[in-house]
Amino acid sequence: MTRTDKDIHSAIPLPTDIGAGPAPTPAEEADVPPIVSRHGSGNETYATLVWRRFRRSTMGMIGLVLVVMLLVVSVFADFFAPMDPKEANLPFAPPDLIAFEDPQGNFSLIPYVYPIGDTGEFDPITFQPLTGAVKDNPTPTGFFVQGHEYRLLWFIPANIHFFGSTDGRPIQLLGTDKFGRDILSRGIIGSRISLMIALAVVTMTTVVGTLVGITSGYIGGAVDAWVQRFVEFVLAFPQLPLYLALTSLIPVTAPSNVFLTFVIFVMAVLGWAQLSREVRSKTLSLARIEYVRAAIAVGASDGRIITRHILPNVLSHIIVAITLAIPTVVLLESFLGFLGFAVKPPLISWGLMLQDTGTFSVIGSYPWILSPVIFVLITVFAFNALGDGLRDAVDPY
């Protein structure tokens, strides 16, 4: 049985637009605008793809802005601190009230600082004296005002501050400690030490952990087995008691720089093992990928394979691990500083400032001395938010 031409043509699938009319001419095709992909061009770099995905993370962008602000404030801490952190005034003075109104009650673009003091009134039930804002003689404030002298970036003499009083009177926006020192200024100055400890410890742990992890995972065999036994030995130590034991070895009369260096060294020695194990696991999986095997087959050196093929693929995980490790070190330094094992005076850190909160009676009477906790919370939230955003953005494919 033969099939007709009509049957043959009907059995051949035709394009869906064949019945819509004649094919467009080349001139008509030239007038059609090109279709632009909303995902951008196909030759974008990995960093561009990561940044595009990271920008869609609201919490990640908030964390990035806060981290940049923290770093800027810590570098130019003397400029942002309104008071001399060593100047003593009234001990345990409550935080001053800042308001955008003049003594007559009118709105003012320039904020005024009203100290908290005795209002002369009494509680009608307990007959205790009431405290409140004293509006008789407020302190005018302003931006870029003159104050105590300092050295910008540790070598440029300056006396201009971002915010402060215009008449030279002290202002305590977060109150004072037991020695009458401004808590806000000490918290800003203390960000240098706290963040410096965190960055130094994380840098050392990242370098050591990455080198050990890549070397162990790439070489394998007996070397990998012995290295992993040593890593397990380090991870088996209870870190907190060991921190306290090692830092107690430093004599009390030792210089602050020596004590600080030893604390950083102890934290780094005990903190690299976990990252090395994570990097090793990724190196083991990457060493079996086709392009790594091809590089080995063509005779590429081990250094080239590690630096050109393995390390770039592990780098995204390392960056995320750094952002998540910094708040851990900040919390650890604050805890050790609270116990007196991290920073010694005259240095200032957030943990050292929290030593004043050692008794419940002090916290109940002067709750504003807990203000350094605010700096710790902001730092931990900022780096955790940044780390979460990076963790979701490092795999844009």
Side-chain angles (χ1 to χ4, degrees):
M1 180 179 180
T2 61
R3 301 176 62 183
T4 62
D5 293 341
K6 181 177 180 181
D7 296 333
I8 294 175
H9 289 302
S10 63
I12 299 176
L14 298 177
T16 56
D17 59 346
I18 196 66
T25 62
E28 293 175 347
E29 290 181 350
D31 296 335
V32 177
I35 300 176
V36 180
S37 174
R38 71 181 188 87
H39 297 289
S41 59
N43 58 351
E44 291 180 328
T45 62
Y46 175 73
T48 305
L49 296 175
V50 171
W51 172 244
R52 175 185 293 121
R53 189 166 183 175
F54 180 77
R55 286 184 303 178
R56 295 199 293 265
S57 174
T58 304
M59 297 303 297
M61 291 300 297
I62 294 175
L64 177 62
V65 172
L66 290 177
V67 167
V68 172
M69 292 176 60
L70 284 171
L71 295 178
V72 171
V73 170
S74 62
V75 172
F76 302 98
D78 294 308
F79 170 71
F80 288 100
M83 296 286 297
D84 186 354
K86 299 179 182 179
E87 181 183 353
N89 294 289
L90 181 64
F92 290 125
D96 296 335
L97 175 65
I98 184 169
F100 290 88
E101 62 177 27
D102 56 16
Q104 290 75 31
N106 300 322
F107 176 77
S108 174
L109 294 176
I110 302 176
Y112 285 83
V113 172
Y114 296 92
I116 303 299
D118 189 3
T119 59
E121 300 179 357
F122 296 89
D123 188 275
I125 299 176
T126 62
F127 297 100
Q128 294 291 330
L130 298 178
T131 58
V134 180
K135 297 187 177 182
D136 296 337
N137 189 17
T139 302
T141 61
F143 293 95
F144 303 101
V145 299
Q146 293 185 355
H148 67 277
E149 296 183 356
Y150 61 93
R151 290 188 176 273
L152 186 64
L153 298 177
W154 295 277
F155 64 90
I156 302 176
N159 62 350
I160 302 299
H161 297 267
F162 177 72
F163 177 80
S165 62
T166 57
D167 58 358
R169 285 187 289 177
I171 57 174
Q172 294 96 18
L173 300 183
L174 293 180
T176 60
D177 59 7
K178 61 182 178 181
F179 296 110
R181 299 169 299 189
D182 182 41
I183 294 179
L184 176 61
S185 300
R186 290 179 62 81
I188 294 175
I189 299 296
S191 64
R192 283 180 174 175
I193 300 297
S194 297
L195 291 180
M196 186 271 291
I197 292 176
L199 294 177
V201 171
V202 171
T203 300
M204 296 174 64
T205 57
T206 301
V207 172
V208 176
T210 303
L211 291 177
V212 174
I214 289 182
T215 303
S216 176
Y218 181 75
I219 296 177
V223 175
D224 181 38
W226 282 103
V227 170
Q228 292 310 304
R229 300 296 81 75
F230 180 72
V231 170
E232 293 171 358
F233 177 76
V234 175
L235 291 175
F237 276 106
Q239 294 191 2
L240 182 57
L242 194 59
Y243 283 133
L244 302 180
L246 292 178
T247 51
S248 62
L249 297 177
I250 296 295
V252 181
T253 58
S256 299
N257 295 332
V258 175
F259 193 89
L260 185 61
T261 303
F262 185 77
V263 170
I264 293 175
F265 176 76
V266 170
M267 290 184 180
V269 167
L270 299 177
W272 61 270
Q274 183 62 37
L275 179 62
S276 69
R277 173 160 290 188
E278 297 173 1
V279 173
R280 170 186 173 269
S281 63
K282 288 190 168 293
T283 303
L284 288 175
S285 61
L286 290 172
R288 295 177 173 83
I289 296 181
E290 287 75 9
Y291 59 81
V292 175
R293 292 179 176 270
I296 297 175
V298 299
S301 62
D302 294 338
R304 180 179 177 84
I305 294 174
I306 292 175
T307 57
R308 297 294 299 274
H309 299 292
I310 296 180
L311 183 59
N313 290 280
V314 179
L315 194 61
S316 59
H317 177 80
I318 295 175
I319 294 175
V320 175
I322 289 174
T323 57
L324 297 178
I326 290 178
T328 303
V329 179
V330 170
L331 288 174
L332 179 60
E333 184 276 330
S334 301
F335 178 71
L336 294 178
F338 172 76
L339 297 178
F341 291 99
V343 176
K344 299 292 184 181
L347 299 178
I348 306 172
S349 72
W350 295 334
L352 184 63
M353 295 175 61
L354 289 174
Q355 286 185 359
D356 296 338
T357 64
T359 58
F360 290 104
S361 60
V362 174
I363 297 176
S365 302
Y366 317 108
W368 54 86
I369 64 173
L370 288 172
S371 300
V373 176
I374 300 175
F375 301 106
V376 177
L377 292 178
I378 293 175
T379 303
V380 172
F381 169 77
F383 281 99
N384 277 328
L386 177 62
D388 289 340
L390 286 176
R391 183 171 53 190
D392 296 336
V394 291
D395 189 13
Y397 303 103

